[in-house]
């Protein structure tokens, strides 16, 4: 991509529907008018913290900020403390939100107000449009800049890969501020195709109602955890064109059950906040991943990286990859120290050092259950030596320092950890203490 | 009121069983928040609770409105919501 390349804010034709707010379709022309109206109300300087829950408002807010040259800070975590941390660390000048959160900066409510026709702004490909965050082991959010060109290329590659037609209805269950949700439910309608569903969708009955409210063909963008809940609830769905899953590996058994129940292919996206979506597969067709058009993978014994259109440098990947024929690859085991839960990564050694840093904790270790990569409900465990502390007190001390998804369950209190003569811990011994029933 | 109190105890057991919590059901403070501070549940747990509630009480939880925050505000609020909506 040339550095002076540009892309329009939306690639959609003016009359195409890019979102549905309840029963109301929003055309690209109307969207642009609403973006211009909001852009005119924004403060002079960014960046902006955008944590709108309504997907359409999140998109209007992102687009209005971009058209003013303001980068959007994306936080899927809406806890006031996390938002304040990100705002402080990354210099947010204002926030755009549709809920009331007290923050030490001006919070504006985006309104989708009809206004006069507006042009389609042209934006340089190398402008940083969004900044996504990973949590990092220390709990400190780490920023990943997303140039506009990379976001556009990713959306267009996804539209081609999943054959998203202009009239495809897209129902997402992942927050719009999570990289996967941002790409599939905001950037895809903006630059690829399809019409997004604006409302909150989380529980099985929400998914069924949202899908029923969209005209066919319908695309459900979700996670293994929510697929499992949806199948378990027995709630019936209208016909689907496809289901897309990401954030955690999807077990073949769950994919087979879903395809049988919903009569649609179940597809998975492989990606990372740092790189965005970079490959996909149909789970039931095997374990080979097909890279997105335009990406290039480098796989060596020391690790893998991916070159993504629009990103300035190759992105190292946290997983081990094995090269297969025709550019495809297989995911090896995760690196032993890295765990991923609820779409967030952490290192076990990092969590362990937070644990042992708690006052009153003499020794301790975090460990992952053997079925972590197969069981969407899996949780980490902690073995703790802390005379005088209860398990509840340990969890209370961890809360606020680690993401809720990584809080240990169970917490097993011990007199000492089973260390060998040189002080090392054996995984087998630890697992037997944490999960005695297995 | 007796009904509510016994339902509260039943829902506390349901939560502890569904989520494999360390806490004993009777140790859950009925007024404390279930998420964040308090019991410290997260969105994975919300789905599990929704699934367990739909199986036991025959209705679906939804996130269509502000009420969702109130429903999960505490064990007491959740039990009251179940009392009002249960079909089983």
């Amino acid at each position: 991509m040339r550095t002076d390349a540009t892309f329009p804010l939306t690639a959609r034709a003016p009359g195409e529907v890019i979102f549905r707010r309840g029963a109301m379709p929003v055309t690209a022309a109307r969207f642009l008018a609403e973006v211009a109206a909001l852009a005119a109300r924004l403060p002079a300087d960014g960046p902006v913290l955008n944590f709108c829950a309504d997907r359409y408002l999140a998109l209007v807010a992102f687009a209005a900020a971009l058209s003013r040259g303001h980068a959007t800070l994306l936080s899927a975590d809406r806890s006031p403390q996390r938002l304040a941390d990100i705002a402080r660390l990354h210099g947010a000048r204002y926030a755009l939100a549709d809920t009331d959160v007290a923050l030490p900066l001006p919070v504006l409510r985006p309104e989708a107000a009809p206004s006069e026709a507006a042009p389609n702004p042209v934006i340089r490909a190398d402008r940083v449009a969004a900044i996504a965050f990973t949590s990092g082991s220390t709990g400190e959010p780490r920023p990943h800049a997303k140039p506009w060109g990379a976001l556009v290329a990713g959306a267009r590659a996804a539209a081609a890969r999943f054959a998203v037609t202009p009239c495809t209805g897209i129902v997402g269950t992942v927050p719009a501020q999570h990289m996967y949700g941002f790409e599939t439910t905001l950037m895809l309608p903006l630059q690829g195709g399809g019409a997004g569903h604006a409302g909150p969708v989380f529980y099985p009955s929400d998914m069924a109602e949202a899908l029923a409210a969209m005209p066919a063909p319908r695309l459900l963008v979700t996670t293994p955890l929510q697929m499992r809940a949806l199948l378990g609830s027995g709630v019936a769905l209208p016909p689907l064109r496809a289901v897309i899953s990401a954030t955690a590996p999807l077990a073949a058994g769950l994919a087979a059950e879903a395809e049988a129940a919903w009569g649609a292919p179940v597809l998975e996206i492989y990606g990372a906040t740092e790189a965005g979506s970079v490959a996909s597969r149909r789970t039931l067709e095997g374990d080979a991943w097909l890279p997105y058009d335009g990406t290039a993978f480098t796989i060596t014994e020391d690790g893998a990286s991916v070159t993504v259109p629009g990103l300035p440098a190759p992105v190292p990947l946290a997983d081990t990859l094995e090269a297969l024929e025709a550019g495809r690859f297989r995911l090896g085991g995760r690196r032993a120290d890295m765990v991923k839960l609820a779409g967030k990564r952490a290192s076990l050694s990092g969590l362990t050092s937070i644990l042992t840093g708690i006052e009153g904790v003499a020794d301790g270790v975090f460990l992952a259950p053997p079925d972590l990569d197969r069981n969407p409900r899996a949780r980490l465990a902690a073995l703790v030596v802390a005379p005088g502390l209860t398990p509840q007190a340990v969890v209370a001390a961890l809360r606020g320092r680690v993401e809720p998804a990584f809080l240990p369950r169970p917490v097993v209190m011990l007199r000492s950890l089973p260390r060998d003569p040189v002080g090392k811990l054996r995984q087998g011994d630890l697992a037997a203490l944490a999960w005695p029933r297995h | 009121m007796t009904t509510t109190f016994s339902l509260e105890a039943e829902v506390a057991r349901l939560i502890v069983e569904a989520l494999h919590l360390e806490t004993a059901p009777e140790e859950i403070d009925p007024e404390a928040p279930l998420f964040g501070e308090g019991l410290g549940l997260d969105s994975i747990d919300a789905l599990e609770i929704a699934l367990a509630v739909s199986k036991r009480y025959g209705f679906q939880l939804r996130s269509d409105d502000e009420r969702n925050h109130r429903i999960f505000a505490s064990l007491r609020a959740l039990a009251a919501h179940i009392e009002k909506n249960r079909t089983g």
Side-chain angles (χ1 to χ4, degrees):
Chain A
M1 196 177 299
R2 289 171 43 185
T3 49
D4 60 351
T6 60
F7 295 105
L9 178 60
T10 179
R12 308 294 301 277
E16 285 181 8
V17 174
I18 72 165
F19 247 87
R20 288 181 188 275
R21 312 188 71 199
M24 187 184 72
V26 181
T27 62
R30 177 171 177 151
F31 164 75
L32 287 173
E34 293 179 349
V35 167
L38 177 59
R41 286 173 49 212
L42 298 182
D45 298 309
V48 54
L49 187 60
N50 175 342
F51 54 99
C52 296
D54 178 296
R55 269 174 223 282
Y56 179 67
L57 293 182
L59 181 62
V60 169
F62 164 71
L66 181 62
S67 72
R68 288 284 303 272
H70 303 170
T72 291
L73 305 174
L74 297 171
S75 174
D77 185 339
R78 297 202 187 97
S79 66
Q81 189 185 339
R82 172 78 160 197
L83 292 170
D85 280 352
I86 287 181
R88 177 174 46 82
L89 291 167
H90 301 282
R93 303 296 290 271
Y94 66 103
L96 283 162
D98 54 0
T99 47
D100 293 318
V101 176
L103 285 176
L105 69 168
V107 180
L108 275 71
R109 241 172 218 272
E111 281 163 33
S115 62
E116 298 190 8
N120 191 358
V122 173
I123 292 142
R124 280 178 60 120
D126 59 359
R127 175 172 282 289
V128 172
I131 297 174
F133 294 91
T134 48
S135 43
S137 305
T138 56
E140 191 101 317
R142 282 174 45 198
H144 304 281
K146 301 292 170 184
W148 175 236
L151 294 173
V152 171
R156 294 181 181 179
R161 172 59 52 86
F162 301 113
V164 179
T165 57
C167 54
T168 301
I170 303 168
V171 172
T173 68
V174 186
Q177 289 82 2
H178 184 283
M179 195 58 201
Y180 164 52
F182 182 77
E183 289 182 293
T184 50
T185 66
L186 300 194
M187 285 306 301
L188 191 54
L190 189 62
Q191 286 288 332
H197 181 278
V201 178
F202 182 74
Y203 295 108
S205 56
D206 301 337
M207 295 187 227
E209 280 172 31
L211 287 164
M214 303 296 271
R218 303 176 185 88
L219 182 64
L220 175 62
V221 178
T222 187
T223 68
L225 188 74
Q226 285 166 310
M227 286 174 61
R228 183 185 158 279
L230 188 51
L231 287 166
S233 74
V235 170
L237 301 184
L240 302 181
R241 170 63 55 89
V243 179
I244 296 178
S245 172
T247 68
L250 178 62
L254 186 58
E257 201 185 326
E259 288 209 359
W262 304 327
V266 173
L267 311 164
E268 273 182 277
I269 289 178
Y270 173 69
T273 301
E274 298 87 331
S277 300
V278 287
S280 72
R281 67 170 179 167
R282 182 173 179 179
T283 315
L284 292 186
E285 285 177 351
D287 55 6
W289 293 89
L290 180 63
Y292 272 23
D293 289 342
T295 62
F297 285 75
T298 304
I299 300 172
T300 70
E301 284 186 4
D302 296 332
S305 64
V306 60
T307 304
V308 180
L311 286 184
V315 181
L317 296 167
D319 304 282
T320 48
L321 271 60
E322 179 192 343
L324 302 173
E325 295 195 341
R328 294 180 185 235
F329 65 89
R330 182 186 290 148
L331 284 178
R334 61 190 165 78
R335 291 191 203 161
D337 189 49
M338 293 302 296
V339 290
K340 195 173 181 193
L341 284 172
K344 301 179 178 91
R345 286 178 198 280
S347 97
L348 289 172
S349 54
L351 292 167
T352 293
S353 70
I354 293 173
L355 172 65
T356 52
I358 294 172
E359 197 175 333
V361 172
D363 199 358
V365 64
F366 263 84
L367 61 159
D371 64 350
L372 184 73
D373 296 333
R374 300 187 301 278
N375 176 7
R377 300 169 61 200
R379 296 284 188 174
L380 304 180
L383 304 179
V384 185
V385 181
L389 287 187
T390 61
Q392 291 80 4
V394 172
V395 173
L398 287 170
R399 196 171 293 139
R401 295 182 218 188
V402 310
E403 295 270 354
F406 300 121
L407 288 175
R409 200 182 288 174
V411 175
V412 180
M413 306 305 289
L414 300 169
R415 293 168 66 96
S416 65
L417 292 188
R419 292 188 181 276
D420 72 8
V422 292
K424 283 200 170 173
L425 295 165
R426 274 198 301 271
Q427 284 303 314
D429 296 344
L430 299 179
L433 286 165
W435 299 283
R437 282 165 291 174
H438 289 248
Chain B
M1 286 309 278
T2 2
T3 330
T4 308
F5 283 131
S6 67
L7 183 64
E8 249 172 47
E10 189 179 298
V11 174
R13 277 199 303 280
L14 183 84
I15 292 174
V16 168
E17 281 165 23
L19 307 181
H20 309 289
L21 294 184
E22 292 289 297
T23 320
E26 57 276 13
E27 280 174 17
I28 298 179
D29 177 352
E31 302 278 3
L34 293 172
F35 292 82
E37 300 300 316
L39 207 50
L41 306 186
D42 62 16
S43 62
I44 300 178
D45 299 313
L47 276 178
E48 283 307 316
I49 293 175
L51 194 52
V53 164
S54 72
K55 287 189 170 153
R56 176 82 64 91
Y57 301 107
F59 76 99
Q60 302 285 340
L61 290 172
R62 306 149 48 100
S63 57
D64 60 346
D65 51 21
E66 298 287 319
R67 283 185 318 159
N68 210 249
H69 289 285
R70 296 215 299 275
I71 294 166
F72 277 121
S74 66
L75 174 61
R76 184 150 295 161
L78 179 61
H81 182 69
I82 290 171
E83 178 81 77
K84 211 162 64 185
N85 291 277
R86 62 188 294 175
T87 62

